[in-house]
DNA sequence: TTTAATTCATACTGAAACAGTAGGATTTCT
DNA sequence: AGAAATCCTACTGTTTCAGTATGAATTAAA
């Protein structure tokens, strides 16, 4: 059970934007260097973040990205879902022949995984971007 | 972010054992049919469950597996960790060149993922095998 | 004592997903 | 004009997943 890099990188990049939010548009090159993430990969991630109105872009030289909302209003859950990081620990789809055959009756553990999903999602719902930044600043001192 | 089948199947199979715990050793063939899981795959899973003393085996004809402890004492977390289903949403190993370079300083989001792991683990810690079986019986009625 | 049912052990494999790379087009500041 | 940036989309090597396959060892029952 692992988080995919897209979700992780997205949160890292958004936290970076939050930290430098008063310095105008931040270029992906900067984030790439600071967070040690491939530039081209970041580009893909930011297209999705933009589609979800989490950031807005400024094109051309001296351009970059800016947060759409203040960090205390941005939920981690929103960032992660924006980049297609699904929190679906169980996929009981029609195709799946094995394990859970949800046609007849739910598998014994069906409720368990549903609850797990809720548990994880509620974790991400409670945490805002600002919470990460605060922590980071405290560590710096 | 998905659970792997091994973890899911292990919990399903253990729940099956719990339900039929008074009928002597349960063969993997039975579990395979009831839970719709490949027999050969179940064999691999049960070798690990046995190593962790979650079940004991009875070899030969009329053999099978039996729970080592009563279902109310078996934590879901134990089952899942037994089959190598790691709850490590972030792997900050030395090999990883990208993202988190924990040589110099922890990445901004390091604490977040640590907390997430704890959150998920505590979920599995609280739930016992018996809890699944009870639910299942209620649904049956 | 043979047969069938079972666990035990390990090697192999097709398919899918992941984590990027690559290449170019477009926009805008200087 | 040129450089710095976003934008867009296709491609790809590697790894992991989810099993299969095969055979050996063990034991109950006929």
């Amino acid at each position: 059970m692992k988080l995919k890099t897209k979700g992780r990188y997205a949160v890292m990049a958004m936290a970076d934007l939050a930290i430098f939010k008063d310095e105008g548009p931040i270029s992906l090159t900067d984030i790439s260097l600071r967070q040690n993430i491939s530039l081209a990969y970041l580009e893909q991630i930011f297209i999705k973040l933009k589609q979800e109105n989490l950031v807005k872009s400024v094109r051309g030289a001296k351009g970059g990205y800016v947060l759409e909302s203040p960090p205390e209003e941005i939920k981690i859950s929103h960032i992660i879902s924006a980049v297609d990081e699904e929190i679906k620990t169980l996929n009981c789809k029609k195709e799946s022949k094995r394990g859970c055959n949800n046609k007849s009756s739910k598998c014994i553990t069906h409720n368990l995984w549903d609850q797990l999903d809720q548990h994880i999602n509620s974790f991400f719902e409670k945490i805002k971007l600002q919470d990460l930044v605060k922590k980071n600043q405290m560590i710096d001192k």
Side-chain angles (χ1 to χ4, degrees), chain A:
Chain A
M1 191 170 186
K2 251 183 226 161
L3 216 60
K4 293 165 205 158
T5 54
K6 258 187 188 160
R8 276 171 42 211
Y9 290 173
V11 176
M12 290 171 73
M14 289 290 283
D16 193 284
L17 279 190
I19 292 172
F20 296 96
K21 73 177 193 302
D22 299 326
E23 308 194 2
I26 306 294
S27 75
L28 294 189
T29 307
D30 287 352
I31 299 178
S32 167
L33 292 172
R34 280 196 292 257
Q35 305 299 332
N36 193 29
I37 302 169
S38 138
L39 173 60
Y41 204 30
L42 273 177
E43 288 174 350
Q44 294 175 38
I45 290 168
F46 270 80
I47 284 172
K48 297 190 173 184
L49 293 175
K50 193 185 168 189
Q51 284 168 354
E52 279 294 315
N53 297 314
L54 283 162
V55 295
K56 59 187 161 198
S57 66
V58 180
R59 298 192 68 170
K62 292 279 170 183
Y65 287 93
V66 182
L67 292 181
E68 272 274 22
S69 322
E72 58 269 24
E73 289 176 13
I74 299 176
K75 294 176 186 171
I76 302 298
S77 57
H78 194 182
I79 300 172
I80 289 180
S81 69
V83 294
D84 283 343
E85 175 85 56
E86 261 203 314
I87 311 294
K88 274 272 173 201
T89 53
L90 172 58
N91 267 349
C92 285
K93 288 177 184 163
K94 41 192 174 313
E95 312 111 42
S96 82
K97 303 242 163 71
R98 281 269 122 102
C100 179
N101 55 338
N102 62 359
K103 293 155 197 165
S104 54
S105 65
K106 284 184 186 171
C107 53
I108 305 176
T109 52
H110 208 113
N111 288 328
L112 180 66
W113 313 127
D114 274 353
Q115 286 168 29
L116 175 60
D117 288 352
Q118 284 177 35
H119 193 68
I120 296 172
N121 277 311
S122 82
F123 176 79
F124 285 136
E125 283 280 318
K126 274 182 286 193
I127 300 179
K128 307 290 193 314
L129 201 51
Q130 180 65 20
D131 300 326
L132 299 188
V133 177
K134 268 188 300 186
K135 258 173 203 152
N136 192 57
Q137 287 175 339
M138 286 200 295
I139 288 166
D140 281 351
K141 280 170 194 168

